[in-house]
Amino acid sequence: MKRKQRKQRKHLKKKNHQTYKEKPAQDNSEFQDTFKINQALRTENYSLLREIGRETGFISDAIRRRVWPFLLHCTDIDQDKVIEGSLDVPHKDEEQVNLDIIRSFNSFPKNLEEKDKGKLQKQLKNVIVHVLRSYPSLHYYQGFHDICSVFILLFDEMYMTMEPVLKQLTILDTIIRLEDLELYDFITEAGVLPYYCLSWVITWCSHDLDDLDKITRLFDLFLSSNPFMVIYFAAAVVLLRRDQVLALPCDTSTIHSFLTKLPKDIDVDSLCQAACELEEKYSVFEIQSQSTIALDQVSAINRFERDWLPLTSLQGMNDTIEDHIIPILQDKGERKPIELVSTASNKQHVHQSKSILQKLQQLNKKDAFLYTLLTVGAGVSLVAMLMSNSDLVRYVYIVT
């Protein structure tokens, strides 16, 4: 049976190669896209690669293995890593890591044998423990293992508080209000809080989808964009389902249950486009003003254009981590929010946004077990981490 399957795959590969070879380059969109990506890599054109990642994605896993490290400045394995801790000292969150490892690789890849799953789980634990011990000032959160799982499948083994996330979820409600007031009013009347998309946000949808192609396409988008892009994406999903939501009874449990389930058959490319359109319509600074919810000055979202976009080298990233990111994580002082621009339109919604945030905060304090159910724990949000070959090369944790 296996011999027959290998023969079929070999025949299909030969057929596809012939078709690819016979078709003129000017008529072959895949060839043109690959050439464009390769050209951007050769010329170190970060802007073009981010544009491709947002608009179409990077075509295949083989190309992603080249592009993702480049986008994250992780291509030079000989550079010294910025490490603030010791690999010999256990991290305080490793017990929770062990619990999450047991639940990993159950949705994807499909038809995974127990022996292979055990191997992947072992690699996953090595990666997470390595990161946490290297940077003990960071906090593990449930859902981090889902993101790491995607990178492991592509690259093989690689070596605080919820307040920022609650604020982002509150801002998501503002996007829905600005785009579809009827839908917003219906959800608000039902008393539904934006917890329904929590796992989408903190795991980049890798916890909720079981199609690796769709997940990696979303990672293309998120790695090429401001960290707030996942919020735009979540808003796009809710807006897409507005007719289905409005057809439901105006009941808290019914609507929350419906919205929590990220559809498996979603058109990822269309939603990526819709998310980018929302970002273009409401910049990260404008949407904070519209919602009257200000994220921290040190938030990765507010510092993205300053700290991340200008990076053109691994050394530049090292300097940023050492000079800016790690001191921010170690700073025990109170963080300050950015100053918002007040307008007549946002003043009338101050109470609504503050009310939603307060309810989320109360829920946060009231029932910590809820986060286990929703795949979340205390911590800072992951912006990006990446591996190359069999060793951990670099990761970037940016405060949100």
Side-chain angles (χ1 to χ4, degrees), residues 164-165 168 227 295-296 298-301 335 380-383 398-400:
V165 179
Q168 292 176 39
L295 300 178
D296 294 340
V298 299
S299 165
I301 292 168
R335 295 171 184 162
V380 293
S381 292
L382 174 73
V383 170
I398 302 184
V399 185
T400 57

Side-chain angles (χ1 to χ4, degrees), residues 56-257:
T56 62
F58 298 118
I59 304 175
S60 69
D61 291 346
I63 293 178
R64 289 184 177 102
R65 292 187 186 101
R66 297 175 58 213
V67 175
W68 287 7
F70 184 79
L71 282 176
L72 297 173
H73 307 284
C74 304
T75 54
D76 189 345
I77 63 175
D78 295 323
Q79 291 286 340
D80 293 332
K81 296 189 289 294
V82 178
I83 294 182
E84 57 167 308
S86 169
L87 297 179
D88 297 325
V89 179
H91 190 276
K92 62 181 178 60
D93 294 337
E94 287 184 29
E95 184 177 344
Q96 182 59 54
V97 172
N98 291 332
L99 295 176
D100 283 354
I101 295 297
I102 298 173
R103 297 193 291 267
S104 62
F105 298 109
N106 290 324
S107 298
F108 59 85
K110 300 293 186 183
N111 304 318
L112 188 63
E113 294 184 3
E114 284 299 317
K115 180 179 68 173
D116 295 328
K117 183 166 74 171
K119 180 182 177 181
L120 289 172
Q121 288 175 336
K122 182 179 179 181
Q123 293 176 347
L124 179 61
K125 180 178 178 179
N126 289 341
V127 169
I128 296 176
V129 168
H130 191 125
V131 169
L132 291 176
R133 291 186 180 184
S134 297
Y135 299 83
S137 62
L138 301 179
H139 301 271
Y140 174 78
Y141 67 88
Q142 291 170 271
F144 180 53
H145 69 289
D146 289 307
I147 292 181
C148 292
S149 298
V150 176
F151 282 95
I152 283 180
L153 289 172
L154 259 68
F155 291 89
D156 201 4
E157 184 174 0
M158 22 167 214
Y159 266 175
M160 314 219 169
T161 70
M162 282 296 295
E163 188 73 13
V165 179
L166 301 182
K167 287 184 176 180
Q168 292 176 39
L169 295 181
T170 304
I171 296 174
L172 181 146
D173 255 27
T174 299
I175 299 176
I176 296 173
R177 170 174 61 80
L178 294 172
E179 282 293 295
D180 194 326
L181 186 57
E182 180 183 5
L183 177 62
Y184 172 82
D185 287 341
F186 184 77
I187 293 175
T188 302
E189 183 181 351
V192 175
L193 295 174
Y195 259 130
Y196 53 78
C197 66
L198 190 57
S199 65
W200 314 352
V201 172
I202 66 171
T203 71
W204 285 358
C205 301
S206 60
H207 179 76
D208 301 88
L209 295 176
D210 53 17
D211 186 329
L212 189 58
D213 289 337
K214 292 183 178 180
I215 294 171
T216 51
R217 172 63 187 100
L218 288 176
F219 274 45
D220 290 343
L221 171 69
F222 299 147
L223 288 173
S224 302
S225 307
N226 186 296
F228 199 67
M229 177 53 72
V230 68
I231 298 294
Y232 291 118
F233 176 82
V237 172
V238 177
L239 291 166
L240 177 69
R241 309 179 76 194
R242 58 103 58 195
D243 291 340
Q244 296 169 286
V245 173
L246 293 175
L248 295 171
C250 191
D251 171 74
T252 305
S253 59
T254 301
I255 297 175
H256 176 82
S257 178

Side-chain angles (χ1 to χ4, degrees), residues 230-371:
V230 68
I231 298 294
Y232 291 118
F233 176 82
V237 172
V238 177
L239 291 166
L240 177 69
R241 309 179 76 194
R242 58 103 58 195
D243 291 340
Q244 296 169 286
V245 173
L246 293 175
L248 295 171
C250 191
D251 171 74
T252 305
S253 59
T254 301
I255 297 175
H256 176 82
S257 178
F258 177 81
L259 289 175
T260 299
K261 299 178 178 64
L262 186 64
K264 307 294 184 183
D265 60 348
I266 59 171
D267 185 340
V268 171
D269 288 321
S270 296
L271 284 168
C272 287
Q273 181 180 349
C276 290
E277 290 172 355
L278 287 174
E279 180 192 46
E280 185 175 351
K281 194 171 182 179
Y282 311 108
S283 71
V284 294
F285 300 104
E286 179 186 352
I287 200 62
Q288 289 175 72
S289 293
Q290 289 282 359
S291 68
T292 71
I293 300 296
L295 300 178
D296 294 340
Q297 293 176 359
V298 299
S299 165
I301 292 168
N302 289 327
R303 296 175 64 95
F304 181 70
E305 293 187 7
R306 170 186 170 182
D307 288 343
W308 188 251
L309 286 185
L311 292 180
T312 58
S313 68
L314 180 62
Q315 186 57 50
M317 189 189 72
N318 276 340
D319 293 341
T320 296
I321 293 176
E322 189 169 19
D323 298 338
H324 300 293
I325 306 305
I326 289 178
I328 287 171
L329 294 173
Q330 294 175 333
D331 184 12
K332 303 301 182 182
E334 184 178 355
R335 295 171 184 162
K336 297 180 180 179
I338 63 169
E339 291 187 14
L340 300 179
V341 178
S342 297
T343 65
S345 61
N346 67 27
K347 284 180 180 178
Q348 61 183 328
H349 296 291
V350 171
H351 177 71
Q352 288 176 304
S353 295
K354 297 296 183 184
S355 176
I356 292 173
L357 180 57
Q358 288 171 1
K359 289 177 182 177
L360 292 175
Q361 291 169 332
Q362 290 169 1
L363 194 57
N364 172 38
K365 295 177 181 177
K366 180 180 178 182
D367 195 354
F369 180 67
L370 176 65
Y371 297 133

